[in-house]
Amino acid sequence: MVGLTDYSHQSLTDISIDLEEWNNSLEESVKVINKISAELIQNGYWKQVDFDFRSICAYAVKFFDTAKSDIREVIEGIHTEIKEYHFKILIKLATTAQEIFSDAKKVWSSYRDKEYGEANFSKVESIDSEICNMAGDMFDLDNLAHRIKDFIGRKVVDMDNGARVNNIFQGSVTGFQQNLDNSTGIQNIGNSNVDIEELRSIITEIKELLGSVPNEEKDEIVESLNDLEETIESDIPKKSKIKAFGALVLSGLKKLFTLETFAKVETLSTKLPQVTENFEKVLDKIFKN
C-alpha cells in the first residue's frame, strides 16, 4: 500500500522540503512514544502491557530513529549527487513502514483486556496511534523514491543550470511556502475551507454507505475515516496526515470492489464506485491547493 501524493512533477526543492518534514515528524514521534512509555515504566504499568505491543513499540522507535538517519542521507545526496542507493533507501523505508503499520494493527486487534477509559491504558492507546500515524505518513516515500530515481547521477552543478546547491532551497517556491509552517516544517491545509467541507460531506456519504456492510469488512475503513475526521477538525489540519488516512480509506474502499461484497450488499454495486471516485477527487483537490 502506498500514499496518495503524485511526485512525478515535483521539483527537488519540494522533495527536499517534504523530506525535512518527515524528519521533523519522526523526531517528534520518537519523543512522544519515549516520553509516554517512560511514564508507564516509572509507574509500573508498562509490565502489564501486552508483550507483543511492547515489542512493536520498541521496533517502531528503532525504525523511526534509523529512518531519520536514512532520510538525512538522501537529503545530503540532493546536496551533492543523487545515487541509486538513495532510491533504494526510500523504497525500503516505505516498505518497512507499511509492514509496521500492518503489524501494529494486528497487534492492537489481538490485544487482550483493553481497559478503555483507564488513564494508563489511554496512554497505551496514544502510543498505538502515534506509531500508526507516523508509519502511515511514510507510505508516500514510495512515490517520492520513484521521482528521486529520475535524478540518479545528477550532481549539484547540473541542477538549475549550474546553480549552487544553496539555490535549491533559496529559490521561489511560493505556492508551497504559503502553506508551510516555518517553525515546524509541517505543511498545512491553509485556507482551503471549501475543499474541507467537501471532504466532510463525502466522509458522511461513505459512512452511510458502509452502514450496510458487515463489520468485519468495514472496521478498518471506519477507523481510518474517524482518524481522517479528527485530522480535518483540528485547528491546523496537516496534509501529511490527510494523505496517510485518505490512502487507507481509499485502499479499504477498493477492497470492497468484489462480486462477493456486491452480492451481500446490492446498493454497493451502484453507489460505491462513484462515492470512491468522488472521495479521491476531493483529496486530489486538497493536495493541489
Side-chain angles (χ1 to χ4, degrees):
M1 184 190 298
V2 296
L4 286 169
T5 305
D6 179 10
Y7 282 92
S8 60
H9 301 295
Q10 289 275 17
S11 69
L12 283 174
T13 299
D14 294 338
I15 290 173
S16 299
I17 291 172
D18 277 5
L19 288 173
E20 291 286 359
E21 177 184 337
W22 262 303
N23 257 7
N24 290 336
S25 297
L26 284 163
E27 184 173 356
E28 183 61 27
S29 286
V30 169
K31 285 181 180 178
V32 168
I33 295 169
N34 284 339
K35 179 178 181 294
I36 297 173
S37 58
E39 291 173 357
L40 295 175
I41 290 172
Q42 187 175 14
N43 68 20
Y45 188 83
W46 193 244
K47 294 179 181 179
Q48 303 176 38
V49 174
D50 181 87
F51 176 79
D52 288 341
F53 182 85
R54 284 182 284 159
S55 297
I56 194 68
C57 179
Y59 180 55
V61 168
K62 178 61 178 175
F63 168 66
F64 293 159
D65 266 328
T66 301
K68 287 191 295 179
S69 299
D70 287 351
I71 289 175
R72 180 57 54 191
E73 179 75 19
V74 176
I75 293 173
E76 288 301 315
I78 294 175
H79 286 213
T80 53
E81 179 182 1
I82 299 172
K83 299 181 179 180
E84 185 175 2
Y85 81 88
H86 293 127
F87 162 75
K88 291 181 178 179
I89 283 174
L90 294 173
I91 289 294
K92 180 60 177 176
L93 289 178
T95 301
T96 304
Q98 292 166 32
E99 291 171 353
I100 286 178
F101 183 92
S102 177
D103 289 345
K105 289 291 186 183
K106 290 176 183 176
V107 167
W108 189 256
S109 178
S110 60
Y111 193 115
R112 292 186 176 183
D113 303 322
K114 296 185 178 77
E115 301 175 284
Y116 291 114
E118 199 276 332
N120 287 314
F121 186 75
S122 294
K123 293 181 179 181
V124 175
E125 284 185 276
S126 65
I127 291 177
D128 178 67
S129 295
E130 192 66 39
I131 292 172
C132 291
N133 288 349
M134 190 64 252
D137 192 18
M138 296 175 73
F139 291 0
D140 269 330
L141 286 174
D142 186 281
N143 291 338
L144 186 147
H146 286 87
R147 177 57 172 160
I148 282 285
K149 191 175 183 180
D150 294 337
F151 294 100
I152 290 176
R154 203 169 189 186
K155 299 180 181 180
V156 170
V157 293
D158 296 327
M159 299 174 188
D160 298 327
N161 297 321
R164 292 175 61 83
V165 67
N166 288 341
N167 289 338
I168 296 176
F169 301 98
Q170 294 172 355
S172 174
V173 287
T174 54
F176 196 93
Q177 288 173 335
Q178 286 171 355
N179 288 323
L180 196 69
D181 180 338
N182 293 325
S183 63
T184 63
I186 301 297
Q187 188 186 3
N188 299 315
I189 294 300
N191 295 319
S192 54
N193 292 330
V194 174
D195 296 333
I196 291 297
E197 283 301 322
E198 286 188 53
L199 188 54
R200 286 194 185 102
S201 177
I202 197 70
I203 287 174
T204 300
E205 282 189 60
I206 293 172
K207 284 191 170 183
E208 290 176 354
L209 191 59
L210 291 176
S212 54
V213 177
N215 288 335
E216 65 272 14
E217 296 181 22
K218 70 179 179 182
D219 281 349
E220 289 188 7
I221 305 175
V222 172
E223 183 177 346
S224 297
L225 279 170
N226 290 336
D227 289 335
L228 181 57
E229 278 189 303
E230 183 178 340
T231 298
I232 65 176
E233 296 304 333
S234 62
D235 291 337
I236 306 178
K238 295 177 182 178
K239 277 190 176 181
S240 58
K241 287 192 175 182
I242 291 180
K243 291 175 190 175
F245 295 134
L248 292 173
V249 173
L250 274 177
S251 176
L253 290 176
K254 290 176 180 179
K255 286 179 181 177
L256 295 178
F257 281 49
T258 64
L259 291 176
E260 182 180 356
T261 304
F262 287 163
K264 291 179 183 177
V265 187
E266 186 176 350
T267 55
L268 286 183
S269 62
T270 55
K271 294 184 178 180
L272 181 61
Q274 187 61 55
V275 169
T276 303
E277 182 181 350
N278 291 343
F279 179 68
E280 193 162 12
K281 285 180 179 178
V282 173
L283 290 175
D284 287 342
K285 284 175 63 178
I286 290 175
F287 302 150
K288 287 176 183 177
N289 282 341

